[in-house]
């Protein structure tokens, strides 16, 4: 049977800043059937103009810094990023007329590097063996060598990162579930998403359980997520806020990303596959509840990953 198509009212937007947020909360058709009557939803964050959840903290960080006088014309925006935050800075920097310099591990996917260059960002490629930590150390070195030149956005330690989610993502999830959410599941990178959404939800209803998602070891393919036990801990990360941490392997995340594409028609990135795998683990333990997770980005930036390439053969 054909679905009726609801008409969305699209407001006129003045610029890309205004296109950020208010993303749809997605339901599923098949993957979640075995878990009924538990309801499972995901925030479709690739609807943001830069294509990921990171548009939210990038906007908050830049606007807060401008308001406080730390960012003004002539300053260069500097940070370390595994990709999505960089894309968000590059997009918003271009719109606002700022130059953007990003320290990024040299093994970031070619799609990401090309997108960043398309927005005109200057890229400093760091040692892939040092991962995002190597990129963070390089950004710090550059800032310390020339603090007048740069606005060092420092997403790992900047409270505007989690506040973006406290102000936008959290309230959206609360409204979209009409306050019925019982479990929130999110991958931990900078942890900004979990810290902001988690704090907001706990304030609304302390019974809501917060479940963080982690890779199962330091060498993993869950781009955007951090193995907290062995990485530089983000200053904004407060493990005490969480009720639980679940680990997901790279293989589980890949397999779930493929299932989402093939069984639901939802083509998402690897960390979204990890988030869904964890959300289903949570749902499997429940008799009823409303589980919400985050799909940070779409699958396009990961097309050169070997698990998709194998399909070509
Ligand atoms: N998934 C992807 C693809 C990301 O780029 C990020 C951001 N690093 C995350 C998940 C984690 O989000 P957060 O930094 O808010 O913890």
């Amino acid at each position: 049977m054909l679905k009726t198509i609801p008409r969305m009212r699209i407001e006129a937007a003045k610029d890309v800043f205004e296109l950020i947020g208010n993303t749809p909360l997605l339901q599923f058709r098949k993957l979640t059937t075995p878990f009924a009557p538990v309801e499972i939803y995901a925030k479709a964050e690739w609807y943001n103009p830069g294509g990921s959840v990171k548009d939210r903290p990038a906007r908050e960080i830049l606007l807060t810094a401008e308001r406080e006088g730390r960012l003004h014309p002539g300053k260069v925006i500097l940070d370390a990023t595994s990709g999505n935050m960089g894309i968000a800075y590059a997009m918003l920097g271009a719109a606002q007329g700022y130059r953007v310099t990003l320290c990024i591990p040299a093994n970031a996917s070619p799609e990401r590097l090309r997108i960043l260059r398309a927005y005109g960002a200057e890229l400093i490629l760091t040692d892939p063996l040092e991962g995002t930590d190597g990129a963070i150390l390089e950004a710090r070195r550059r800032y310390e060598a020339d603090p007048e030149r740069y606005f060092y956005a420092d997403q790992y330690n900047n409270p505007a990162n989690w506040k973006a989610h406290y102000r936008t993502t959290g309230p959206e999830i609360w409204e979209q579930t009409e306050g019925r959410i019982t479990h929130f599941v999110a991958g931990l990178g900078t942890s900004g998403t979990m810290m902001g959404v988690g704090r907001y939800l706990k304030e609304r209803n302390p019974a809501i359980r917060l479940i963080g998602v982690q890779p199962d070891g330091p060498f993993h393919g869950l781009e955007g997520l951090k193995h907290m036990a062995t990485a530089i801990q983000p200053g904004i990360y407060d493990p005490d806020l969480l009720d639980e941490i679940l680990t997901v392997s790279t293989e589980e995340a890949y397999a779930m990303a493929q299932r989402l594409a093939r069984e639901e028609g939802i083509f998402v990135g690897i960390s979204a596959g990890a988030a869904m795998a964890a959300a289903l683990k949570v749902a499997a333990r429940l008799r009823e509840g409303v589980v919400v997770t985050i799909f940070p980005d779409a699958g396009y930036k990961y097309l050169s990953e070997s698990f998709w390439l194998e399909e070509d053969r």
Side-chain angles (χ1 to χ4, degrees), residues 45-46 51-52 112 267-270 272 295-302:
E45 287 299 305
W46 67 90
S52 89
R112 286 184 181 217
F267 182 45
V268 284
I270 301 153
F295 284 175
D297 61 5
Y300 304 103
K301 280 175 298 213
Y302 308 92

Side-chain angles (χ1 to χ4, degrees), residues 52-54 57 81-85 112 132 155-156 161-162 165 186-195 222-226 228 234 236 269-272 294-298 301-302:
S52 89
V53 67
K54 301 301 278 190
T81 160
S82 64
N84 278 329
M85 191 64 151
R112 286 184 181 217
T132 43
Q155 58 163 325
Y156 291 92
N161 177 348
W162 69 263
H165 296 287
L188 303 173
T190 65
S191 80
T193 307
M194 178 52 92
M195 293 298 115
L222 307 184
E223 209 164 305
L225 303 193
K226 250 178 184 283
M228 290 294 182
I236 60 168
I270 301 153
S271 71
I294 300 276
F295 284 175
D297 61 5
K301 280 175 298 213
Y302 308 92

Side-chain angles (χ1 to χ4, degrees), residues 135-152:
I136 293 172
L137 296 174
E138 179 63 27
R140 282 190 196 157
R141 267 196 295 276
R142 289 197 175 239
Y143 175 67
E144 278 155 20
D146 198 351
E148 287 310 305
R149 177 179 164 82
Y150 295 113
F151 162 65
Y152 179 30

